[in-house]
Structures are given as structure tokens and as C-alpha cells.
Amino acid sequence: MNLAITTILTSQGYKQWRSCGKTWISSLLRHQWEGKIAVYRNFPQLLFPVSRTDLFEKDLPLLLDSERAAQQPVAWKQIARNHQLTGAAELYRDLDYNWVVFADADCVALRNLDHLFDSDADGLVSLRDGLPDPGFFAIRAKRVGEFLDILQPSMNLTAKALGATLRKSGWRIKNFERGEVLRPGDPGVNLSHLGAAAVVHFSRLDLLTRQRLAFGFHMMAVYGDKDGLFQDILEA
């Protein structure tokens, strides 16, 4: 059993991150995520009013204003990632997890992810600009305590910090299988490659584009059958 941790931060007038996060969690649930999902959010409304056994939602006492969200998108996402570290410290010992997955809210799963973690590694990453992408990576649960210790005192989850932490650990670090975890703009990656991936991380796009693409890819994966049944249902 695995644990996936995501943080969703919103502010007045900026609800796109909530929409992205709900799409990401919905895609995990739809594709039969094998384990628990922990969502940290800074708004009181439940993402899923109908409770799911394997989904845990927790309020954050943090409210960021819309001006900051608009002017400092990098800082906005960085704060969200740092809350994932706090969540991991709280939760990774609770159950007998195999892997702890750290994921940004602008990811989407296009199929079941179990095969991604069939590995003898201590950490699994995908590379962006030669560094591990902090927007989607996995640490073997028994290593999470050490991972957090090495990352201290900064506890700042950037690509450089993640890369330095994994190098310092001396663990066996492997890349996710080629083509399985991708981002728009990766070298040589086109729409066909994105559609065939297991996870797409919609990073380095404007927020509205991330929201629309994540939703579109999710709908394509779940309802885009060759016979157009979903379209027929909409017209019924």
C-alpha cells in the first residue's frame, strides 16, 4: 500500500488550483490508486463531500491573498510543496506503506500507477533540466524519515534541494520508466507521448491552461472511448 500526498492552496478569485487538485485526486481514485491519499487544503469545503475510505482531507490554517497568488506563482507552489513535507512527517509511520508519493496539484493520472512502483529503488524520480522534478516523485516509506532529516534545516522542496538530498543520501535512486511521467515542454515530447503517459505534470504553464489541460486529459482517459458513448449520454 502506498501514500500519495498533495497540497491545494487557493485564494479569493483564484480557484483554479482547487479545480486542478480535484482533477488530480479524481484521476487517482478513478484509476484504482493502491493505498491512501492525503490532501492538505487551505479552504474549509471538502473536495469530496461524499467520503472515500482511502481519502484523507485536512484543513490548513493558511490563507494567501489573490494578489500574491497572481504575482508569485513560484512561491505559491513552493509553499504547497513544503506542506507536503509536513504531511509526510505526520503520516508516513501511520500504516505499513511501501512508497510515499509527493505530487503537485497540477498532475493527472491517465491510468493505474501500480507498475510505477514495482522497483527495488529507494527513490523514484523523473528528470527536468537534469534535476529531479519535485512536482512528482516517490520515496520508499522506510526512507522518508531519513529523507526529511537530510532535507532539514531548510525543509524547502525545490529541484536543487531534492537533487542534493538524494545525492547525499547514498540511496539507490532510479528514474521512472521512460515515457511514464512526463511534462509538456519536455524535450522531444508531443501530445501523443503525453496521452500515452501514466502521469502528466502540467508544470510551467499558466494556471488556467494547467486547469483546462488536466481536466481535458482526465476526461479523455476516462470517457474518451472510440465509440463516443459519453457524447451520446450528454445528448440523451
Side-chain angles (χ1 to χ4, degrees):
M1 181 168 62
N2 302 319
L3 170 65
I5 302 178
T6 295
T7 303
I8 305 171
L9 304 181
T10 65
S11 61
Q12 292 183 352
Y14 284 83
K15 295 185 177 179
Q16 287 96 336
W17 277 118
R18 180 186 182 278
S19 177
C20 284
K22 186 157 187 173
T23 298
W24 163 235
I25 302 305
S26 295
S27 70
L28 283 180
L29 293 169
R30 184 72 184 192
H31 296 298
Q32 305 299 311
W33 171 254
E34 182 62 31
K36 301 287 185 179
I37 304 169
V39 179
Y40 290 81
R41 48 176 171 71
N42 69 334
F43 48 91
Q45 300 83 11
L46 289 170
L47 274 179
F48 297 90
V50 178
S51 63
R52 271 77 167 173
T53 302
D54 294 328
L55 175 62
F56 165 78
E57 297 190 41
K58 182 176 181 178
D59 292 336
L60 293 172
L62 176 65
L63 182 62
L64 302 180
D65 63 300
S66 57
E67 183 178 356
R68 183 176 183 182
Q71 296 180 359
Q72 296 182 298
V74 175
W76 183 263
K77 177 170 276 193
Q78 193 56 58
I79 292 170
R81 287 175 178 166
N82 291 345
H83 277 290
Q84 294 175 28
L85 299 176
T86 302
E90 292 178 347
L91 298 175
Y92 80 95
R93 295 186 184 91
D94 288 353
L95 292 170
D96 189 20
Y97 296 117
N98 295 317
W99 291 93
V100 176
V101 177
F102 299 80
D104 286 352
D106 53 358
C107 293
V108 67
L110 301 184
R111 45 194 167 87
N112 182 269
L113 305 186
D114 291 352
H115 66 288
L116 294 183
F117 310 105
D118 185 16
S119 172
D120 60 356
D122 295 304
L124 293 166
V125 301
S126 63
L127 298 181
R128 180 178 63 185
D129 300 333
L131 291 171
D133 179 10
F136 186 87
F137 69 98
I139 301 294
R140 194 171 290 280
K142 67 181 181 181
R143 298 294 194 184
V144 168
E146 299 170 64
F147 172 75
L148 297 175
D149 287 342
I150 298 171
L151 199 58
Q152 288 178 337
S154 67
M155 290 294 280
N156 197 24
L157 190 52
T158 64
K160 288 184 178 179
L162 177 58
T165 297
L166 295 179
R167 287 193 301 273
K168 187 176 180 180
S169 71
W171 301 334
R172 183 179 300 174
I173 306 300
K174 293 186 177 181
N175 293 342
F176 289 110
E177 187 177 343
R178 185 177 180 181
E180 292 291 72
V181 180
L182 296 176
R183 291 151 298 273
D186 281 351
V189 170
N190 58 34
L191 281 175
S192 177
H193 297 134
L194 294 175
V199 175
V200 180
H201 178 204
F202 292 99
S203 61
R204 297 184 179 178
L205 301 170
D206 68 84
L207 185 50
L208 182 58
T209 300
R210 298 181 204 210
Q211 177 195 14
R212 289 174 170 173
L213 285 177
F215 180 75
F217 271 70
H218 175 54
M219 294 294 286
M220 172 192 70
V222 176
Y223 300 108
D225 66 284
K226 60 183 178 62
D227 296 322
L229 178 60
F230 185 69
Q231 292 173 298
D232 292 338
I233 292 173
L234 290 177
E235 294 298 327

